[in-house]
């Protein structure tokens, strides 16, 4: 695992890497990202509607196949709303 990946472990997607409180916050709902370049990060899904959660997520990341400007795609895991599984990358 390279240093960039190590820094992302245990963090919430989208939070600044030098945030003094990089972990989950009370009163928020999170889904774990499983597989792919964002594996192990948590995605805050508190504000998402059930329809948005069912649609999955296309998340910006420089760590994916397409580098800067690319997105990693995560789909909801059937029967487990607390996990989103990586399904690939897109430019």
């Amino acid at each position: 695992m390279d240093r960039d990946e190590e820094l992302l472990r245990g963090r919430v997607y989208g939070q600044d890497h030098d945030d003094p409180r990089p972990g989950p916050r009370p009163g928020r709902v999170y889904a774990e990202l499983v597989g792919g370049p964002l594996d192990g990060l948590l995605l805050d899904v508190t504000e998402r509607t059930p329809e948005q959660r069912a649609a999955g997520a296309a998340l910006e990341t420089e760590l994916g196949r397409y580098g800067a400007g690319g997105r990693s795609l995560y789909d909801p895991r059937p029967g487990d709303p607390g996990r989103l599984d990586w399904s690939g990358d897109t430019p």
Side-chain angles (χ1 to χ4, degrees):
M1 169 180 349
D2 68 24
R3 180 74 177 136
D4 286 343
E5 289 180 55
E6 185 179 334
L7 288 172
L8 293 176
R9 300 287 173 212
R11 297 188 179 277
V12 175
Y13 173 83
Q15 282 186 336
D16 193 71
H17 69 276
D18 56 357
D19 186 327
R21 292 183 47 211
R25 301 222 158 102
R28 308 296 293 175
V29 177
Y30 298 91
E32 179 183 2
L33 301 174
V34 180
L38 302 176
D39 184 50
L41 289 179
L42 299 174
L43 179 66
D44 187 339
V45 296
T46 307
E47 307 284 325
R48 293 180 182 229
T49 66
E51 293 79 17
Q52 289 171 323
R53 288 186 192 188
L59 305 172
E60 291 182 19
T61 181
E62 295 180 5
L63 300 175
R65 179 176 178 191
Y66 297 98
R71 294 177 182 269
S72 288
L73 307 174
Y74 285 85
D75 297 323
R77 182 178 287 182
D80 188 352
R83 295 180 191 261
L84 297 171
D85 293 313
W86 180 68
S87 61
D89 295 321
T90 189

